[in-house]
Amino acid sequence: MSTLVTPPSPDAPRWPALIPIAIIALPGVIRLAGVPLNNAWIIFSLLIGLMLTGMPVSISLGLTVLTYLFTMTTVPIESVALKLFTGIERFEIMAIPFFILAGNFLTHGGVARRMIKFASAMVGHWHGGLGLAGVVACALFAAVSGSSPATVVAIGAIILPAMVKQGFPPRFGAGVITTSGALGILIPPSIVMVMYAVATNTSVGALFIAGIIPGLILATMLGFTTWWRARKFNYPRQPVASAAERLLSFRDAIWGLSLIVIVIGGIYTGIFTPTEAAAMSAVYAFFVAVFVYKDMNLKQVRKVMLDSANMSAMLLYIITNAVMFSYLMTSENIPQQLAAWMLDKNLGVVAYLLFVNILLLLAGNVMEPSSIVLIMAPILFPVAMKLGIDPVHFGIMMTVNMEVGMCHPPVGLNLYVASGIAKMGITELTIAVWPWLLTMLVFLVAVTYWPAMSTWLPRTLGMM
């Protein structure tokens, strides 16, 4: 079968194809013209300009670094190639592919269905029972997956059709799952926390433990919003489950729930590091999905492993380019200049944290969480340290910002995943999530200005 290629019309405009070339040539033109311009403006103009052409963020990062280094500096190409490899020679980065693999085994291995059944038996008799069960199930699955989109897929694909069948409005169910799925990156383990740790040299174990209390508080707040709206509009409730039914559902879900104890308990007791915990969780999830629940056969394992490898490769490519970008920022003293400017303006902790929140929420409109953390953390972190902000608290605050960004347009990953499950347009889904999104913004204020919420538990356990 031949492929027919239509030649471009002679009248078609050719300027869009020239945009990347013009952007890449910009630093050289500026240098030749002798225009005095701050290096930070050149770098970020390059990055934003390349992203506006539709390039993926990872490629935009790499091109920005290479263009700036080769036109504005005399850095040898060997050092750039060396940085590409040494930048990801971090033991902690190995946790990312393992957590992705574990999450995929759990998503396809029947764990989510059993968690929903257990959550429904516990809270299904309250107002909006299935909606509350969705929040609880998302919190439980978040504690074993480390990914928000994976949580939305695993829980939403099962519970959304059930909610519609029971008489819930589709918007209500979609709003619950879209926002509750964001717990996947706050309740440990969390891939976003691992990336923050890599970017700032913060303890992954301390971040994981620090995310427990904020995660439980946010899950409670989202559950309260769900209950309140269900009570207000008189949405369906389920019959009260008997003690035997609850015990049976717990026994059925115990293999999946045990992974929470293995990961968090193992890290806290020092049996293994967070990276070793990720590897352990992947092996355990494979065993449960294939040999215990038997919802996955050995033929399906190959596809799960290939999908996990694809996702891991994408994230590692972003990390590689982001590490180079961070190296460029540091070599040009941009974080130090920002810190000096902040201190000169006498901006205190309160004003700085407000500035960071606004900046991260705006970044969430155009980038996905991994890119935001890897780009912004090396720039914002040194200023936070100068102001005496705890690195663990700062990491949890950034993670909550990423949660909010995943639930609003135009690039909220949870929105796109949930829209595919709910067969609902992005605009309609954006309207559906606003009560829960408002709850998340209130929580963001609380976690920003109440550091003890994040730091009390790891400090009490001696991890800080």
Side-chain angles (χ1 to χ4, degrees):
M1 184 175 66
S2 62
T3 304
L4 183 64
V5 178
T6 305
S9 166
D11 298 326
R14 291 180 171 82
W15 62 267
L18 300 176
I19 293 177
I21 299 173
I23 292 171
I24 291 172
L26 178 64
V29 173
I30 291 173
R31 189 179 182 186
L32 288 173
V35 177
L37 191 61
N38 187 283
N39 290 348
W41 285 109
I42 298 175
I43 293 169
F44 283 102
S45 296
L46 268 172
L47 178 61
I48 294 169
L50 288 169
M51 287 195 296
L52 288 176
T53 66
M55 282 188 186
V57 173
S58 54
I59 296 177
S60 299
L61 284 168
L63 270 179
T64 298
V65 175
L66 292 175
T67 302
Y68 184 85
L69 289 178
F70 294 155
T71 60
M72 303 294 288
T73 68
T74 56
V75 175
I77 192 169
E78 292 83 3
S79 66
V80 177
L82 182 64
K83 195 65 183 176
L84 277 170
F85 287 96
T86 60
I88 56 172
E89 281 187 339
R90 298 283 301 277
F91 185 61
E92 297 90 342
I93 291 178
M94 284 303 299
I96 294 172
F98 283 126
F99 278 131
I100 290 172
L101 181 59
N104 281 340
F105 276 131
L106 295 170
T107 301
H108 297 92
V111 174
R113 177 165 48 83
R114 289 167 173 84
M115 285 183 172
I116 291 172
K117 186 178 177 182
F118 170 62
S120 183
M122 299 303 294
V123 299
H125 58 283
W126 293 355
H127 288 284
L130 267 183
L132 282 174
V135 176
V136 175
C138 283
L140 292 173
F141 195 81
V144 296
S145 71
S147 166
S148 287
T151 304
V152 174
V153 170
I155 305 300
I158 300 169
I159 208 165
L160 278 178
M163 291 180 71
V164 173
K165 185 177 179 180
Q166 199 176 98
F168 286 90
R171 283 188 177 186
F172 179 82
V176 170
I177 299 302
T178 301
T179 49
S180 299
L183 292 167
I185 60 171
L186 179 59
I187 295 178
S190 166
I191 294 172
V192 169
M193 288 184 189
V194 174
M195 290 185 171
Y196 173 83
V198 168
T200 62
N201 289 317
T202 306
S203 166
V204 180
L207 285 166
F208 279 6
I209 299 300
I212 294 174
I213 291 179
L216 293 176
I217 292 174
L218 179 57
T220 303
M221 291 175 66
L222 293 173
F224 176 80
T225 303
T226 303
W227 172 85
W228 178 77
R229 288 186 65 80
R231 184 171 179 268
K232 179 181 178 181
F233 296 107
N234 196 28
Y235 291 152
R237 303 165 66 174
Q238 293 180 309
V240 179
S242 65
E245 289 174 326
R246 292 180 178 180
L247 182 61
L248 185 62
S249 65
F250 174 74
R251 190 176 66 183
D252 200 27
I254 189 65
W255 284 96
L257 297 174
S258 297
L259 187 54
I260 304 172
V261 179
I262 291 172
V263 173
I264 302 302
I267 292 172
Y268 166 60
T269 56
I271 296 175
F272 36 65
T273 66
T275 303
E276 293 165 345
M280 186 70 185
S281 66
V283 174
Y284 181 87
F286 163 76
F287 176 77
V288 170
V290 176
F291 298 109
V292 178
Y293 290 151
K294 299 180 180 178
D295 286 345
M296 180 184 294
N297 57 47
L298 290 174
K299 289 182 179 179
Q300 293 172 301
V301 170
R302 180 176 179 273
K303 184 180 184 303
V304 167
M305 295 188 75
L306 285 174
D307 290 343
S308 302
N310 286 336
M311 177 64 74
S312 300
M314 182 190 74
L315 289 177
L316 289 174
Y317 184 65
I318 294 173
I319 291 172
T320 302
N321 286 289
V323 166
M324 277 213 326
F325 188 80
S326 174
Y327 165 72
L328 177 61
M329 294 289 99
T330 304
S331 65
E332 294 297 317
N333 289 322
I334 291 173
Q336 293 84 344
Q337 292 172 19
L338 179 62
W341 181 83
M342 288 280 184
L343 294 173
D344 287 344
K345 297 297 181 183
N346 292 321
L347 290 180
V349 173
V350 173
Y352 179 68
L353 292 178
L354 177 62
F355 163 76
V356 169
N357 280 327
I358 294 172
L359 180 64
L360 293 177
L361 291 175
L362 290 174
N365 287 310
V366 294
M367 289 189 286
E368 49 85 34
S370 304
S371 303
I372 296 173
V373 170
L374 291 168
I375 294 171
M376 295 294 184
I379 299 171
L380 301 173
F381 183 79
V383 185
M385 296 305 97
K386 291 268 187 182
L387 294 172
I389 298 170
D390 187 271
V392 172
H393 166 229
F394 196 69
I396 298 300
M397 188 191 80
M398 285 195 73
T399 303
V400 176
N401 272 285
M402 299 306 99
E403 283 190 299
V404 176
M406 298 185 87
C407 299
H408 67 73
V411 295
L413 291 178
N414 285 12
L415 280 180
Y416 287 96
V417 173
S419 70
I421 297 171
K423 304 294 188 292
M424 191 178 293
I426 295 297
T427 302
E428 185 181 4
L429 191 54
T430 301
I431 296 170
V433 303
W434 77 263
W436 293 272
L437 192 59
L438 184 61
T439 302
M440 295 176 75
L441 289 172
V442 171
F443 174 75
L444 175 59
V445 174
V447 83
T448 298
Y449 294 110
W450 184 20
M453 186 194 300
S454 307
T455 58
W456 177 81
L457 186 58
R459 186 167 285 129
T460 301
L461 297 177
M463 303 189 74
M464 290 176 60

